[in-house]
Every structure is written in C-alpha cells, then in structure tokens.
Amino acid sequence: MSGLVVIGGSYAGIQAALTAREAGYTKPVTVVTDEHWLPYEKPPLSKDFLLNKMAEQNLILRDKAFFDISGIELVLGNQATEIDRRDRRVALDGDSTLQFDELVIATGSRARRLAVADAEVEGICYLRSLTDAVDLKARLKRTAEIVIVGGGFIGLEVAASAAKLGKKVTVVESGSRLLERAISPLVSSYLRDVHQQHGVEIRFGDIVASIESQHGRVTAIVLASGTKLRADLVLVGIGGIANDELARRAGLNCANGVVVDAHGRSEATNIFAAGDCANHYNRFAEGWIRLESVHNAQDQARAAGLAIAGQYEPYESVPRFWSDQYDVKLQMVGLCGRFDQMAVRGPVEGGRFSVFYFRQSKLIAVESVNRPGDQMAARRLIANGMSPSLEQATDESFDLKVLLKAAEKART
Ligand SMILES: Cc1cc2nc3c(=O)[nH]c(=O)nc-3n(C[C@H](O)[C@H](O)[C@H](O)COP(=O)(O)OP(=O)(O)OC[C@H]3O[C@@H](n4cnc5c(N)ncnc54)[C@H](O)[C@@H]3O)c2cc1C
C-alpha cells in the first residue's frame, strides 16, 4: 500500500511524519530507520549520558505506543538502499521494498573520518549515535585520559564531560581558535579559558599526522608538529557529512546535501528532504546552507510535513543552536560571519553575557552565555528585521522586548 515513506527516524523524520498526520494526511505513513533504537535524543549523548546523569531509556523521544496511536508504522533496523523514482519504490536491505506516493529523505549526517593510515584501529572513536555513545562511555570508564581531535561542538562537549569525570583531556585543533567556523573570537576565547580552567590542554594549529598502534589498538597519535600524544582513547570530532548518497543515486540535485526549497521539496515534486541531510536557501544566511541542529531538523521537517498534507508554510526560521559545556549554556541565533560591529551585554568575567553582532547597523546574530532571555528577544528581533542601537544592546537596563512591543503596537 502506498502513502508517505520517511527514510530516517530521528528529529527530521519523526517530525515530518507527525506533522503530516496532524495536518490531516490520511494515507499510510511508514518511517524506516537503520538504527535498532526507538527515536532518541541526540544532544545528551555528549553531555548527560556520558556523565551518567541520563540512562538510555530516558533518551527515548517517543515509545512504540505513541507511534501506534499516531498511525505511524515504525520499521527499525532496516536500511534503505535505493530509491526508484519512476516506480516510486524504496528498496530495503533484506530485499523488501516500500511503495510510496510521497517520500521524505531524513537520513541526517555522519562523522567525517580521520584521513590517515590506521585510522580504523581500536580506540579511535566517533560520536553520532546512541550506539557510539554507549561504546564511548564504556571506554571512558576504562581509561584515565582521552585525546580529542577537533575543537568543534561535539569534541568540546565530550572534552567537558570527560574533564568533569576526572579524565586528563587533550584537544587537538587545527585552527587558531575553538569553534572557528561557528562562533565569534570573543566567545571562542571565553570557552578556551573555561576549558583550560578545568584542566583541559588545547593544542592549536596542529593536526594528526599518523597513528601508532599495537595489536590493532591505538597507543599514540603523532601530530604534524612532531609531538607524540600517548593515547588509548581518541575521539574524533572533525565535522559531519550529509548522508545524501541515496538521493544522488536517484538523480536528485545534491550539493552538500539534498537541495530543497522552502517547503523541503526537492526537484521531484513528491520527494522531500529535511534536517542534516538537506541544503536550503536561508535568507538570514543570505545563501545556501546545510545546518546541523535540532531546531533546523524539526522546523524544516515541519514545513515538509505540512506541504505533504497540502498546507504551505515556508521554512524560514533564523538559524539557532545551543551547546552545554560545564556550567556554560551557550546559545546562538543568526549567523555572525560578516559582522562589522559588536556590542557586549553583561559581564564576560561573570560568565553571563551576550554578544550582539551587527552589519551596517542591522542586527544579524547574538551569542549568549547563560542569558537565555536575551536569546528569546534576539530571535524575534532578527526574524522581524529589527535592531537595537549599539548603546541599547550594551545597556543591561534596557529591556529589548520594548522594541518588539513598539513594533507590534505600530502594526495594530
Ligand atoms: C553527540 C551530539 C550532540 C549534539 N548536540 C546538539 C546540541 O546540543 N544542539 C543541537 O541543536 N544539535 C545538536 N546535535 C545535532 C543534532 O543532533 C542533529 O542536527 C540532529 O540529530 C539532526 O537530525 P536529523 O533527523 O536530520 O538527522 P540524524 O539525527 O542524523 O538522523 C538520521 C537518521 O537516519 C538514519 N539513516 C541514515 N541513512 C539511512 C538509510 N539509508 N536507511 C535508513 N535509515 C537511515 C540514521 O541512522 C539516523 O538514525 C548533536 C549531535 C550529536 C551527534
């Protein structure tokens, strides 16, 4: 029986299926995922799960009964291997097929692998799934130290968790600062200081040149500078790659992810993509972008689910992201890449501040450390194209919501 088939059972896949149902889609809905777990939360994998604050069962987003009640068939442990656009069929491993009227590709992203010889020896780990996290947690228990390759979000979150567990942590970062592509220099150096205060050693401007191993297990990594770091556990966090091969093989337009419009629709009218595997034009980024965040996955998939049910609300959220490291709740809204002015609100040394970024006096992004209220206001300001002055942004006594209220009043 045809209907909606969704490949990938994580944030984007589940959201697309649920939204389509809630918006009145009446045909069968099937979500197929190659994982054996019920859909689960990913952000805690590098944080509370490693810290033993959250058990596996508490990560599960929705239980089986929920899907049954919602009229969504969940097929676990099956990989989609081919999309046949002409016959509207998805082939699964094990030789079965699913017929579809509409298809959502929500296959997410995978970890970029370390491109040196012996990178697949025992003890070189990646963190993308609950299975990876269970393995990493067990390995962390057995070791006193860990080397982390990559000062991005996942690497730094694992660094924070491992340091909190009392491990000796060394981070190797090829760039000159942490999270270079994602956050501004000011917040980047703040985070560096926090990590160093927790005993984490950070080596900037260096890369892994080779891996030493014995009996198939890593014993050390050798850096391009010649430094040798003894290691029996290495976590590699050097970015993600879109899982868009299925779409490519089906002849869909892909460029760092499946290219989709504001409704998550690919060039084929009945095939959609959302989440980490999709690339869309984002007016706030002023360009095409593939985002890896929970908010993006859910919001984009919601637009796709609505379109599948015949309702059209374009996806045009301001990009946002969060990361928890130690007591630092870092939140970002907008993209600060090309700012020409900035204003700092609140005490940096007190660990409670926001940085407002402007281009030609227009607010384009706000990064906050432990100031969630600023984020809420900033999201609405940026979405509505409104900007405080530099003075208002800096002045903690100035209520940013006043600007929003004034604009609402002017509209009525
Ligand atoms: C450790 C970690 C921490 C994170 N922390 C944060 C955070 O703090 N804040 C934040 O906003 N984001 C965070 N993220 C990112 C966030 O989890 C992702 O952006 C989000 O999960 C993307 O959802 P998705 O549904 O697009 O893809 P994914 O979550 O990648 O899911 C895709 C699913 O599709 C399955 N799949 C792939 N190919 C096939 C196939 N051929 N057949 C069947 N199934 C297939 C995959 O196995 C997977 O289950 C974190 C990610 C990780 C790994």
Side-chain angles (χ1 to χ4, degrees):
M1 213 178 352
S2 304
L4 170 61
V5 170
V6 179
I7 309 175
S10 184
Y11 292 99
I14 297 306
Q15 188 66 54
L18 282 175
T19 304
R21 264 287 177 258
E22 283 161 13
Y25 188 85
T26 51
K27 289 187 273 181
V29 177
T30 308
V31 177
V32 56
T33 176
D34 55 9
E35 297 199 65
H36 290 273
W37 310 93
L38 280 164
Y40 56 87
E41 285 190 65
K42 287 202 164 168
L45 297 182
S46 46
K47 310 164 189 121
D48 283 358
F49 180 73
L50 286 186
L51 290 168
N52 301 309
K53 288 187 185 168
M54 226 174 159
E56 281 147 47
Q57 62 271 22
N58 299 332
L59 294 169
I60 300 303
L61 282 165
R62 309 278 191 182
D63 60 14
K64 175 84 175 56
F66 173 85
F67 291 101
D68 291 344
I69 292 165
S70 307
I72 295 172
E73 193 189 341
L74 201 55
V75 181
L76 301 179
N78 267 262
Q79 192 179 38
T81 52
E82 220 60 60
I83 298 168
D84 182 336
R85 280 167 64 185
R86 207 196 54 185
D87 290 344
R88 299 188 165 195
R89 245 189 344 230
V90 174
L92 304 182
D93 54 358
D95 286 346
S96 57
T97 56
L98 291 171
Q99 202 73 38
F100 67 85
D101 293 318
E102 290 84 19
L103 177 70
V104 176
I105 302 171
T107 45
S109 59
R110 61 182 180 276
R112 187 181 297 284
R113 315 294 285 191
L114 205 51
V116 295
D118 283 342
E120 301 301 325
V121 294
E122 178 84 18
I124 308 275
C125 301
Y126 297 82
L127 179 54
R128 282 276 151 173
S129 64
L130 180 49
T131 304
D132 293 341
V134 169
D135 177 62
L136 180 63
K137 188 159 139 178
R139 288 175 191 274
L140 261 177
K141 272 200 191 118
R142 300 195 296 264
T143 188
E145 52 192 300
I146 177 169
V147 173
I148 291 171
V149 181
F153 285 112
I154 291 181
L156 292 179
E157 288 177 358
V158 174
S161 299
K164 273 173 116 173
L165 290 168
K167 313 291 173 188
K168 179 178 178 302
V169 183
T170 308
V171 175
V172 179
E173 164 56 46
S174 61
S176 58
R177 62 182 183 85
L178 298 175
L179 290 162
E180 199 158 7
R181 286 193 311 272
I183 62 172
S184 66
L186 192 146
V187 177
S188 186
S189 42
Y190 175 79
L191 268 185
R192 178 204 58 210
D193 293 349
V194 172
H195 276 280
Q196 287 173 341
Q197 281 154 17
H198 283 85
V200 173
E201 186 187 344
I202 308 176
R203 292 173 168 271
F204 289 104
D206 219 341
I207 56 168
V208 178
S210 61
I211 289 169
E212 293 187 356
S213 60
Q214 257 179 12
H215 312 299
R217 292 190 57 93
V218 61
T219 53
I221 62 171
V222 183
L223 304 181
S225 60
T227 307
K228 191 195 272 196
L229 300 172
R230 206 170 54 80
D232 58 9
L233 180 57
V234 178
L235 187 273
V236 182
I238 52 174
I241 298 175
N243 288 326
D244 62 8
E245 289 76 8
L246 271 179
R248 277 177 196 277
R249 285 202 302 275
L252 294 170
N253 185 14
C254 295
N256 181 28
V258 188
V259 175
V260 294
D261 68 11
H263 303 286
R265 199 191 295 268
S266 74
E267 69 197 278
T269 48
N270 64 334
I271 304 184
F272 297 74
D276 282 16
C277 71
N279 193 330
H280 73 287
Y281 182 85
N282 187 292
R283 75 177 166 96
F284 300 99
E286 294 177 358
W288 290 85
I289 193 163
R290 187 177 72 77
L291 295 167
E292 289 187 15
S293 83
V294 170
H295 293 311
N296 170 67
Q298 291 178 324
D299 294 351
Q300 193 171 37
R302 186 176 172 278
L306 284 175
I308 287 163
Q311 297 176 21
Y312 295 93
E313 261 180 46
Y315 166 55
E316 49 173 17
S317 307
V318 188
R320 58 204 161 109
F321 197 82
W322 84 90
S323 176
D324 296 317
Q325 298 167 38
Y326 312 102
D327 295 331
V328 175
K329 178 155 207 69
L330 173 65
Q331 291 169 288
M332 293 142 280
V333 59
L335 300 163
C336 70
R338 287 174 282 159
F339 72 95
D340 52 29
Q341 277 182 306
M342 61 181 229
V344 181
R345 186 180 180 91
V348 176
E349 60 291 350
R352 214 181 146 265
F353 64 98
S354 291
V355 190
F356 286 63
Y357 299 92
F358 299 84
R359 188 163 70 242
Q360 294 171 351
S361 303
K362 185 179 173 199
L363 183 66
I364 54 168
V366 177
E367 292 168 347
S368 303
V369 169
N370 298 329
R371 281 184 80 106
D374 288 354
Q375 281 291 305
M376 302 241 288
R379 179 144 57 99
R380 291 172 61 201
L381 288 171
I382 297 172
N384 289 294
M386 296 170 59
S387 308
S389 65
L390 282 174
E391 293 69 33
Q392 288 170 336
T394 312
D395 179 3
E396 279 191 89
S397 67
F398 177 78
D399 183 359
L400 295 163
K401 291 194 287 297
V402 166
L403 294 173
L404 293 161
K405 283 182 194 143
E408 269 161 30
K409 211 169 161 196
R411 274 201 293 267
T412 52

